[in-house]
Amino acid sequence: MPNSVAKALEQPKPQQISPFSTPTQSPSRLSISLQQPSNRSKGSKSGKFYNQIRSLFRSFPIIHPCMMMPLPLYGNKYQDGLIHGGTRLTGTLYGCRKARATLAIQENQRCLPMLILELGVPTGKLLQEMGSGLMRIALECEKQAVEKTKLIEEPLWNMFLNGRKVGYGMKKEPSDEDLNVMQLLHAVSMGAGVLPTLKKEMPDGEMTYMRAFFERVIGSKDSETFYMMNPDGNSGPELSIFFVRF
């Protein structure tokens, strides 16, 4: 028998795996090239105080979201599509149509998410609400006796959609699926559509997404608002997300 055939018939030896070796990448996970968010230097106390005063009135409508919906924050238009005193970030709503929607906030589309929030409403219903006109999402939680947690790091929220309570919002660590979505969209600054998937069966429907720029306005340590920016700048935000702790 030739040597080559004899070698092929030999029992393969068990492979020694070092505990320090790098595991092979799962085919269900993409190679993640997203960057860590930058640590932006804190402004001076006077500058922070000025920004808080300038943004204070924007936090008023979200104190009682279940009782009163906020009024539009613009007249005919707001200058250059920007809300003064805010920071521009990238926001993405995504999920399978029948499954709960997820909100991801990033410093920009090439960074790892700074916030992943699972919302108490199916993705299809959320996108349908957006298509019908202005949408307001209010997320509220209670203050603790000793408050040391940053507002957007709170783990659990009561969620209101256009004044109606729709369940809860839960902060979570990014899963492989979340990172795959962020990686697939790393070159997309804004838009909406359907994402490809490696799953053969999708019982909850196809994976859809909507991405846009958001202006983050900090009213205080207990109130923040994210306003979706319209690319044409001819009208106010179609989607506003209010975080409030009281």
Side-chain angles (χ1 to χ4, degrees), residues 78 81-82 87-92 105-109 188-191 210-216 226-231 237 239:
Y78 56 108
L82 299 176
T87 303
R88 191 172 79 167
L89 300 171
T90 297
T92 311
I105 300 294
Q106 300 164 273
E107 186 177 297
N108 60 63
Q109 68 265 26
V188 179
S189 58
M190 60 181 66
M210 189 281 295
R211 167 168 282 184
F213 291 122
F214 282 75
E215 283 286 322
R216 179 188 187 184
F226 292 80
Y227 299 100
M228 189 178 77
M229 299 166 58
N230 284 337
L239 169 63

Side-chain angles (χ1 to χ4, degrees), residues 29-97:
R29 177 170 176 175
L30 300 175
S31 176
I32 305 300
S33 63
L34 301 172
Q35 305 169 357
Q36 291 288 343
S38 64
N39 294 321
R40 297 182 179 180
S41 59
K42 297 182 179 180
S44 64
K45 291 184 178 180
S46 59
K48 290 176 64 177
F49 178 75
Y50 175 73
N51 286 333
Q52 288 179 357
I53 294 297
R54 185 169 55 179
S55 305
L56 181 61
F57 293 101
R58 301 193 186 278
S59 65
F60 288 162
I62 62 176
I63 293 181
H64 298 291
C66 57
M67 299 177 61
M68 178 181 65
M69 288 309 298
L71 297 174
L73 301 178
Y74 53 90
N76 295 327
K77 66 172 69 175
Y78 56 108
Q79 292 183 354
D80 303 325
L82 299 176
I83 298 172
H84 296 291
T87 303
R88 191 172 79 167
L89 300 171
T90 297
T92 311
L93 288 165
Y94 61 94
C96 296
R97 290 189 180 275

